[in-house]
Each structure stands twice: as C-alpha cells, then as structure tokens.
Amino acid sequence: MTRIDRRSFLKKAAIGAAGVGIAASLPEFLYANAEKDLFFKIAISQFSFAGEFWTKQLDPLDFAAKSKELGILGLDYCSMFFADKAKDTQYLGELKKRAADNGSYNLRIMIDGEGVLGDLNDAVRLKAVENHYKWMDAAATLGCPMIRVNVEGDGDHEAVAKAAVDSLGRLIEYGRKQNIDVIVENHVGISCNGAWLAGVMKQVNSPHCGTLADFGNFCINRTKPETQDIAGYMKTKCLEEYDRYKGIEELMPYAKGIHVKSHVFDANGDDTETDFYRMFKIIKKSGFTGWASIEYEGGLFKMYTKDSKYLDDYAGVTATKKLAIKAGMMA
C-alpha cells in the first residue's frame, strides 16, 4: 500500500470508528501505521505522570523509558520534578543518556516556580529573568532546543504585556549564546487570553520566541484555592474562561509546540471538554508540522479525588494518543 493510499485508507477508517464508538476504534497496528502519516509528531509532557513523580512511584530519570513503553519518543520535561538539579551536570547528563538509550528526543524544559516574568515591579521581574538563565543552561546540557516560560502578571494588561516583552527579550538574548529558544504557554492569568498572548508575540517579533498552545489552559480568572497545594487547586472554579478554539487559532501562527490537554473521555473515546476534531483542523490549517505533546491530567485528579471517571496515567495517555491520531487523520 502506497503512502498516499495508506493515508486515505486510515482516514476513512478513522471516520468510521468515530461514528460507531470506541469498540470499533482503529486496531492497534493501524494506530502505529497511522502515526507515520500524521502532519504532526507525538510527544508527551512529563506532567502526565505528575502524581507518580510526587509520590515517588516513578523516578524522573525513568521518564524516557516509561514514555517509550507507551510508544512516545518526544519528551517535554517539567522543571518542578527536578527543581534542585538545574546546575547538576551529572544528573542532567544521566537524563540525556537515558533519553538517548531509549531513542527519545529531548524537546524542552517547562519552567515553573522561578518568578513572574510579567511582574510590574522591575526588581522582582528582573530577578525572575535571572532565575531562568540556569534552566537555559540546563536545556543546552540536555540537548533541548527551547524552554517554556510563563508571562503572567497582575495589573494593567498593557503594562504587563510591556514587562513580559522586555523579559522575553532578555531571555532570547541569553539563549542565543547556546541556541536555546523561548516559548510561552497559555498557562496562568492573563496569558490564558489568546489575543493578549498573541499580541505579546507580535511585539516580541522574534524567530527565537513562540507559543506552546495548550488545549485547556484558557481560564483567565478562578477562585482562590483554600490550600496552597494541588488538592486545593482542584477545588477551585473558573470565573472567566476564554474561548479555547478562538484562543488556539490566535496562538497557532506563533506555535513552536502544542499541548494536547485531556482529563475525561466518554464512551466513544472522545474528550468531554475539548472537541479534538475541531482543534486538529485548526492546527492543520495553520500549517503546523511540529510536536503535539500529550498532557493528560486525569491521573492526577484520580489520585486526589478517587473519582472513577478518571483513567490512570498510562490508560489516560494511551486514550489521548489514540484520540489525537484519529482526530489528526480526520483533520
């Protein structure tokens, strides 16, 4: 079967599977072959295994091996899982070796907890910028071509944007020394407003800066958590949410990566919060051909809420991967 014929066959099979439910989903061997014909490549966020890392069931050094078991070779690292190792070249060297041993690709380190890059207090903001430098060095050691940062901030939106642009410019300049790019996720506060973040990208106007477009992070304002931990966060409610499809469409012109966010699946294997078929049509139309990184959070919710509607980490990642392949083939 030629490549073109196979792509046509798989697309028709995916459309048929979508109409008759999860029991008639594509067989495993067709998923494996379909992945070769997708317009994007599949990666995974380390946060998909967050609960296991935090409870020490899984060692961050085993991230590449566990991802390979799920048939995923693109790796997005989270700084929070090895926060004290940014300058530990021996540890970073071992992470790099483990990735190489498993035939994996180190894509980026996602940085959290190092300060607010859109803070209107210049002294606080510049300290945050400086805090990120060590992670750019770590990314270079790991062989990652980029880091992901956050650019939220409180106050006037235009002022926060100006501060964020300045911070990103400083990081871009530092990264040029080691060919490390900077990408921004719609993640916290005002950065969850697609138009605002796209505006920041337009102002930065650099090939070394882009977005990490996340399917689910569009809550601009939410209730404050009762406790400062993941359990407290899970009890919060979104007060103001940006349209996710509009947001993805606005972020895709600048996208250097995608987060395929998922939580719960229905009986057909479709995500209950996001229309993956609509999302991947938007993504394909944008011309994106890079890495789409699975970020399944249901396992973490299952751990803390004990709610049976959530799958465990591995089942959830597998379900997300299958849905992404099916939606990608139908785009």
Side-chain angles (χ1 to χ4, degrees):
M1 187 179 292
T2 67
R3 181 177 177 84
I4 295 176
D5 288 341
R6 183 172 70 244
R7 184 186 296 113
S8 178
F9 168 74
L10 291 169
K11 183 171 183 177
K12 290 177 181 178
I15 293 172
V20 296
I22 195 167
S25 294
L26 294 176
E28 294 300 324
F29 80 93
L30 285 183
Y31 275 108
N33 287 317
E35 196 170 337
K36 300 175 184 177
D37 290 279
L38 294 173
F39 65 88
F40 57 91
K41 299 179 285 291
I42 296 178
I44 187 167
S45 164
Q46 201 171 18
F47 199 75
S48 294
F49 309 127
E52 293 182 68
F53 288 126
W54 280 330
T55 57
K56 309 298 182 184
Q57 296 177 57
L58 183 61
D59 190 313
L61 288 172
D62 294 327
F63 177 41
K66 287 297 181 181
S67 299
K68 186 178 181 181
E69 289 177 10
L70 294 166
I72 302 173
L73 299 180
L75 305 178
D76 278 356
Y77 294 90
C78 295
S79 66
M80 66 179 72
F81 299 129
F82 51 107
D84 60 339
K85 306 294 186 182
K87 297 182 179 180
D88 188 335
T89 55
Q90 183 176 350
Y91 183 89
L92 295 172
E94 181 62 22
L95 264 184
K96 185 176 182 178
K97 180 179 182 300
R98 299 280 185 103
D101 288 346
N102 286 282
S104 302
Y105 301 89
N106 290 338
L107 304 179
R108 62 185 68 92
I109 305 177
M110 295 179 284
I111 316 304
D112 295 290
E114 294 292 357
V116 179
L117 294 174
D119 200 298
L120 298 184
N121 182 314
D122 280 348
V124 172
R125 179 176 60 82
L126 294 178
K127 175 59 178 174
V129 171
E130 184 180 335
N131 289 345
H132 283 73
Y133 290 160
K134 62 180 178 292
W135 287 109
M136 301 190 89
D137 296 337
T141 300
L142 270 181
C144 295
M146 64 187 75
I147 63 167
R148 185 277 279 150
V149 303
N150 301 309
V151 296
E152 80 276 16
D154 294 324
D156 178 77
H157 293 175
E158 289 187 13
V160 172
K162 182 178 179 180
V165 169
D166 182 79
S167 294
L168 291 171
R170 293 171 187 270
L171 290 176
I172 291 166
E173 187 62 30
Y174 186 90
R176 281 178 179 169
K177 303 172 186 177
Q178 302 179 91
N179 295 317
I180 303 298
D181 288 348
V182 181
I183 63 173
V184 183
E185 183 176 357
N186 51 305
H187 200 200
V188 183
I190 188 58
S191 72
C192 298
N193 180 311
W196 182 88
L197 185 52
V200 169
M201 292 297 104
K202 187 174 182 179
Q203 290 182 63
V204 172
N205 191 29
S206 170
H208 301 291
C209 187
T211 59
L212 178 59
D214 186 292
F215 283 11
N217 292 345
F218 286 103
C219 182
I220 300 171
N221 184 28
R222 64 173 60 249
T223 57
K224 292 185 178 180
E226 297 175 2
T227 57
Q228 297 301 312
D229 54 19
I230 191 66
Y233 174 80
M234 287 181 178
K235 295 178 182 178
T236 64
K237 294 182 179 180
C238 186
L239 300 174
E240 180 185 359
E241 187 164 12
Y242 197 82
D243 183 281
R244 65 187 61 199
Y245 307 101
K246 180 174 183 287
I248 291 295
E249 198 163 3
E250 289 167 334
L251 297 179
M252 285 312 301
Y254 308 97
K256 290 179 178 287
I258 296 167
H259 264 177
V260 183
K261 178 68 61 63
S262 59
H263 294 94
V264 181
F265 303 91
D266 64 20
N268 290 328
D270 291 329
D271 188 89
T272 60
E273 298 173 332
T274 302
D275 183 341
F276 273 47
Y277 308 100
R278 183 178 176 184
M279 279 296 192
F280 278 101
K281 285 180 181 178
I282 293 171
I283 293 165
K284 185 175 184 179
K285 185 178 179 181
S286 75
F288 180 84
T289 58
W291 293 88
S293 185
I294 292 168
E295 191 167 64
Y296 174 66
E297 294 184 337
L300 189 61
F301 279 71
K302 182 182 182 70
M303 176 178 290
Y304 282 93
T305 67
K306 310 300 181 185
D307 193 328
S308 61
K309 72 180 180 182
Y310 299 107
L311 300 174
D312 64 30
D313 290 344
Y314 300 110
V317 169
T318 298
T320 309
K321 180 183 176 184
K322 287 184 175 182
L323 179 55
I325 290 173
K326 187 165 66 172
M329 292 302 300
M330 293 174 65

